[in-house]
C-alpha cells in the first residue's frame, strides 16, 4: 500500500533538490509544461479555480474563463518553480526580481516604529516578496504557516522559509497571536496571507458581491497593538520580474465597538484585495472553496482543504 504522506513529502523534496539546479529558462519551460498538463486534466483544483474566477469576472464567456484558468495554472506553477529555486538565487537576483509600487507606505511605517502588518492574498509569489523584504530592505519579519500534512512536509516548509530569513510560527495553537503582538509592539514587521479563513472565528465580508469569510487576525492585531495595517497585492507580467503594490494604510475607525471596528477594517482589506485581483485575476491562486455558498459544513478545527 502506498504511503501518500511519504510520497507527497518525497515529491516536494525532489522538487527542491532538482528544480533549483536547472537553468532558469529550462525551469520556466518545465513549469509551463506541467501547468498545461494539469490544466488539461481538469482536476478538482482547476475546476475550483475556474469557478472562483467566474465570480471575479462575472461576464466572462466559458472560453474566457478557460483561458484565465489556464493562465492561472501557469502563474501558480511559476510560483512553485520560483519557490523551489529561491534558495539558490543570488542577492542581486532577489533584489532585482521584484518591483513594487508605493513601497513608501511600508518604509515610512517601519521608520515610525509603530509596527507594520502586511496582509496579502494568495497572489503571485509571496515568498519572493518576503525574501525581497529581508534582502533589499534588510528587514526581518514574522509570519504564520498553515500546518500541512504530513508533518515532515510542514517541517520542510518551515525550514525553507526560515532559510530565507523569516520567523515562522504555526497557524494552530494560541501562542502565535501573542508572539505576533509582541513583535509589532517592538516595532517589527508581520506578514500574513489573509484572503481565506482557516478558523471558526473569521469575519464575514462582501467579496466580489458575495459573502465570504476572511481572517480576523490582521485587523485585531492592528487594533490591539496600534500597528499599521497595509494590504499588498502581487502579480506577474510577461517578463521575469514579479510586480506588486503596497496599498494605503487601513486606519482604525473612530467609532464603534472593537468587533465593529475589526469588521470594517477587514472589509476594507477585502476591497483592497478585490481591486488587485480584478486587475490581475490570473495571478490569484485560489484553488480552494472561499465563498460561504460553496463551503461544506466546518468543524471547530477549521476547513478541510489546505494550501501552502
Amino acid at each position: 500500500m502506498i504511503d501518500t504522506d511519504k510520497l507527497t513529502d518525497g515529491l516536494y523534496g525532489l522538487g527542491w533538490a532538482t528544480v533549483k539546479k536547472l537553468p532558469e529558462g529550462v525551469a520556466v519551460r518545465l513549469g509551463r509544461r506541467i501547468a498545461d498538463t494539469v490544466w488539461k486534466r481538469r482536476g478538482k483544483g482547476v475546476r475550483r479555480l475556474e469557478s472562483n474566477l467566474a465570480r471575479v469576472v462575472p461576464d466572462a464567456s466559458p472560453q474566457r474563463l478557460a483561458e484565465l484558468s489556464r493562465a492561472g495554472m501557469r502563474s501558480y506553477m511559476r510560483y512553485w518553480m520560483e519557490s523551489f529555486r529561491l534558495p539558490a538565487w543570488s542577492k542581486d537576483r532577489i533584489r532585482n526580481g521584484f518591483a513594487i509600487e508605493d513601497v513608501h507606505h511600508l518604509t515610512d511605517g517601519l521608520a515610525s516604529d509603530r509596527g507594520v502588518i502586511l496582509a496579502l492574498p494568495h497572489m503571485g509569489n509571496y515568498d519572493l516578496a518576503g525574501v525581497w523584504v529581508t534582502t533589499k530592505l534588510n528587514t526581518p519579519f514574522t509570519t504564520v504557516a498553515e500546518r500541512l500534512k504530513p508533518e515532515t512536509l510542514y517541517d520542510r516548509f518551515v525550514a525553507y522559509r526560515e532559510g530565507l530569513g523569516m520567523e515562522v510560527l504555526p497557524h494552530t495553537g494560541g501562542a502565535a497571536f501573542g508572539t505576533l503582538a509582541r513583535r509589532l509592539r517592538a516595532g517589527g514587521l508581520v506578514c500574513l496571507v489573509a484572503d481565506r479563513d482557516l478558523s471558526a472565528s473569521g469575519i464575514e465580508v462582501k467579496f466580489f458581491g458575495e459573502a465570504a469569510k476572511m481572517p480576523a487576525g490582521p485587523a485585531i492585531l492592528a487594533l490591539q497593538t496600534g500597528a499599521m495595517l497595509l494590504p499588498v497585492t502581487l502579480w506577474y507580467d510577461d517578463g521575469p520580474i514579479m510586480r506588486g503594490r503596497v496599498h494605503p494604510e487601513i486606519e482604525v475607525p473612530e467609532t464603534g465597538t472593537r468587533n465593529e471596528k475589526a469588521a470594517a477594517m477587514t472589509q476594507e482589506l477585502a476591497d483592497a484585495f478585490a481591486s488587485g485581483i480584478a486587475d490581475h485575476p490570473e495571478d490569484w491562486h485560489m484553488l480552494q472553496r472561499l465563498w460561504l455558498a460553496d463551503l461544506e459544513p466546518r468543524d471547530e478545527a477549521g476547513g478541510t482543504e489546505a494550501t501552502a
Side-chain angles (χ1 to χ4, degrees):
M1 184 175 180
I2 297 175
D3 186 328
T4 56
D5 283 354
K6 285 186 178 179
L7 178 60
T8 300
D9 185 44
L11 289 173
Y12 278 105
L14 181 63
W16 265 299
T18 303
V19 173
K20 69 180 179 182
K21 297 177 182 177
L22 296 175
E24 187 158 351
V26 174
V28 169
R29 290 192 294 273
L30 176 61
R32 286 202 164 200
R33 192 175 305 124
I34 293 171
D36 289 348
T37 299
V38 172
W39 177 78
K40 287 176 183 176
R41 290 176 179 172
R42 294 194 59 78
K44 183 172 69 172
V46 173
R47 296 195 307 273
R48 176 54 54 190
L49 174 64
E50 209 162 283
S51 174
N52 290 339
L53 288 170
R55 286 182 166 98
V56 175
V57 191
D59 53 354
S61 65
Q63 181 180 352
R64 174 61 177 149
L65 282 176
E67 291 170 353
L68 279 174
S69 67
R70 183 182 187 184
M73 291 307 299
R74 286 184 170 189
S75 175
Y76 184 49
M77 192 53 60
R78 176 172 171 175
Y79 158 77
W80 280 111
M81 301 303 277
E82 284 182 348
S83 294
F84 288 145
R85 292 172 54 77
L86 267 178
W89 280 18
S90 68
K91 289 186 176 181
D92 282 344
R93 178 71 177 86
I94 291 167
R95 293 188 190 103
N96 298 324
F98 181 40
I100 187 161
E101 301 170 10
D102 298 328
V103 72
H104 66 89
H105 292 305
L106 171 57
T107 53
D108 290 351
L110 293 172
S112 74
D113 289 330
R114 283 176 56 191
V116 176
I117 305 158
L118 294 181
L120 306 90
H122 285 81
M123 288 187 80
N125 187 340
Y126 37 83
D127 286 329
L128 172 55
V131 75
W132 183 88
V133 167
T134 62
T135 303
K136 176 78 171 181
L137 302 184
N138 196 29
T139 301
F141 67 89
T142 304
T143 189
V144 174
E146 178 184 348
R147 278 206 174 275
L148 302 173
K149 291 183 179 180
E151 190 74 13
T152 51
L153 180 57
Y154 170 77
D155 292 340
R156 193 185 292 277
F157 268 100
V158 170
Y160 157 69
R161 286 173 174 149
E162 287 180 341
L164 297 175
M166 312 174 194
E167 179 187 23
V168 183
L169 307 175
H171 179 270
T172 53
F177 186 91
T179 302
L180 295 174
R182 286 194 294 274
R183 300 291 182 268
L184 292 167
R185 290 194 181 101
L189 176 64
V190 164
C191 300
L192 301 171
V193 180
D195 58 343
R196 180 169 173 261
D197 179 48
L198 294 173
S199 71
S201 58
I203 292 176
E204 186 170 324
V205 297
K206 282 290 183 183
F207 194 54
F208 290 101
E210 291 192 43
K213 281 193 173 183
M214 292 191 178
I220 296 296
L221 281 167
L223 283 166
Q224 187 164 309
T225 66
M228 294 178 68
L229 176 54
L230 300 175
V232 177
T233 51
L234 308 171
W235 65 92
Y236 294 117
D237 57 19
D238 293 331
I241 297 173
M242 184 178 72
R243 304 194 177 274
R245 179 189 175 201
V246 182
H247 297 251
E249 178 185 2
I250 294 176
E251 298 184 354
V252 176
E254 294 183 0
T255 60
T257 65
R258 184 174 184 244
N259 287 343
E260 288 169 344
K261 290 178 179 179
M265 294 171 74
T266 304
Q267 182 62 63
E268 281 195 55
L269 190 64
D271 292 343
F273 290 168
S275 70
I277 292 166
D279 287 341
H280 306 280
E282 68 277 7
D283 292 313
W284 186 42
H285 307 151
M286 186 54 65
L287 280 69
Q288 296 80 25
R289 295 179 178 91
L290 176 69
W291 281 273
L292 297 187
D294 294 338
L295 290 175
E296 297 174 344
R298 300 169 70 167
D299 59 28
E300 291 302 310
T304 58
E305 295 171 289
T307 181

